[in-house]
Amino acid sequence: MKKITIAIDGFSSTGKSTVAKQLADYLDYIYVDTGAMYRAVALFALDNKILSENDFNKEELIKILPEIYLEFKKNKDSGKVEIFLNGQNVEKEIRTMYVSSFVSPVATIPEVRRKLVSLQHKMGIEKGIVMDGRDIGTVVFPEAELKIFMTANADVRAKRRYDELKEKGDTITFDEILKNVQERDFMDTNRKDSPLIKAVDAIEIDNSEINQEDQLNIILQLAKDRIVGRV
Ligand code: DC
């Protein structure tokens, strides 16, 4: 069966990774969460004191970029793919609000983007991949057979994030999350290098009022149409 490339872009907390994982499972494709890669670089910068509340030494980060080694490995127990930063599993750390609030400035740096885009290219070279992020359909795989652009209203997204973090025991408030969602929307869409924009040939899905099952079925049908060459 023909293998295709599926690019899923969109605003933060629109559930891109949930649907991307479901698609990859169903189609037996590789799933790559590119946001995790930007988060891991932000964590590296925080750990090395290059980035903090008051200061961001971009030159230093660019200089030590070659020291960052990222890989994804499947957790044998959970079956989930997890990210490793220089050999260490950082899947949990990169999902905290602490990292979320520092990741957008890191993602504006062209040298960081070039490094990560090059890695992403290698991962998708053989197709059979579902990749989610902000620039997958526009920059990483502009030739992807299926491009989805996901949106949802900011309150709905913040509520989903809030419920998720609450369940993990985080004490964050809804307003703090909403503010972070709005700030990231602004930075993601307004940065100079590879801003978040809908590719001309992407299919937009606003999932503010669509449940996960319906959304999966819509995208799955679009993927099947492309795999069998109906489109
Ligand atoms: O999808 P996420 O929320 O985990 O992404 C974290 C941040 O990384 C997000 O604020 C924007 C950035 N990002 C990016 O610039 N390009 C990508 N392909 C993926 C994420």
Side-chain angles (χ1 to χ4, degrees):
M1 182 107 60
K2 177 182 148 194
K3 284 193 182 277
I4 63 166
T5 301
I6 303 177
I8 302 192
D9 289 303
F11 290 93
S12 60
S13 305
T14 42
K16 297 185 296 295
S17 61
T18 305
V19 76
K21 267 183 229 157
Q22 291 170 329
L23 274 175
D25 278 350
Y26 187 91
L27 297 169
D28 200 17
Y29 278 17
I30 290 168
Y31 162 62
V32 177
D33 170 3
T34 63
M37 300 169 78
Y38 288 91
R39 287 170 179 270
V41 174
L43 179 66
F44 178 86
L46 288 163
D47 284 351
N48 285 279
K49 315 266 183 282
I50 298 166
L51 171 62
S52 69
E53 203 75 62
N54 317 311
D55 190 37
F56 183 13
N57 189 343
K58 293 182 184 167
E59 287 70 35
E60 184 59 20
L61 178 60
I62 293 166
K63 212 167 88 193
I64 61 174
L65 267 182
E67 291 173 26
I68 301 180
Y69 179 66
L70 299 176
E71 58 187 331
F72 287 101
K73 286 191 211 166
K74 204 168 200 160
N75 181 317
K76 285 195 199 86
D77 298 328
S78 65
K80 286 185 185 153
V81 174
E82 296 174 336
I83 191 161
F84 285 68
L85 165 64
N86 293 340
Q88 219 184 336
N89 186 335
V90 292
E91 187 60 35
K92 271 215 189 85
E93 288 97 313
I94 61 159
R95 309 283 167 200
T96 58
M97 264 308 280
Y98 175 59
V99 172
S100 296
S101 57
F102 285 103
V103 63
S104 286
V106 170
T108 62
I109 301 173
E111 287 81 356
V112 170
R113 305 203 67 85
R114 242 179 280 145
K115 178 181 169 105
L116 299 190
V117 167
S118 150
L119 281 171
Q120 291 152 11
H121 259 145
K122 286 186 194 130
M123 293 171 182
I125 204 130
E126 291 183 26
K127 295 187 179 263
I129 192 157
V130 186
M131 196 173 271
D132 83 51
R134 305 292 188 288
D135 58 345
I136 312 305
T138 50
V139 177
V140 184
F141 293 121
E143 73 291 356
E145 287 87 350
L146 176 60
K147 300 180 187 177
I148 302 291
F149 189 81
M150 289 178 48
T151 65
N153 107 26
D155 282 321
V156 170
R157 289 186 281 137
K159 177 74 171 61
R160 288 180 190 153
R161 199 82 178 183
Y162 176 73
D163 291 342
E164 230 174 76
L165 289 171
K166 259 266 134 72
E167 209 179 286
K168 288 182 189 161
D170 209 310
T171 53
I172 191 105
T173 67
F174 173 81
D175 287 345
E176 283 172 299
I177 294 179
L178 182 61
K179 188 165 163 267
N180 174 257
V181 163
Q182 288 166 334
E183 279 170 2
R184 284 206 287 154
D185 284 357
F186 184 82
M187 290 195 82
D188 290 348
T189 47
N190 287 286
R191 68 171 172 240
K192 276 208 197 83
D193 190 346
S194 322
L196 171 64
I197 39 164
K198 177 175 169 271
V200 279
D201 50 350
I203 297 163
E204 183 165 336
I205 296 184
D206 181 333
N207 65 19
S208 308
E209 286 171 27
I210 307 179
N211 68 37
Q212 278 186 13
E213 195 187 336
D214 290 347
Q215 171 171 272
L216 174 64
N217 288 330
I218 293 168
I219 303 177
L220 204 47
Q221 192 55 51
L222 293 168
K224 285 179 184 168
D225 288 345
R226 278 145 188 86
I227 292 168
V228 298
R230 264 199 294 267
V231 183

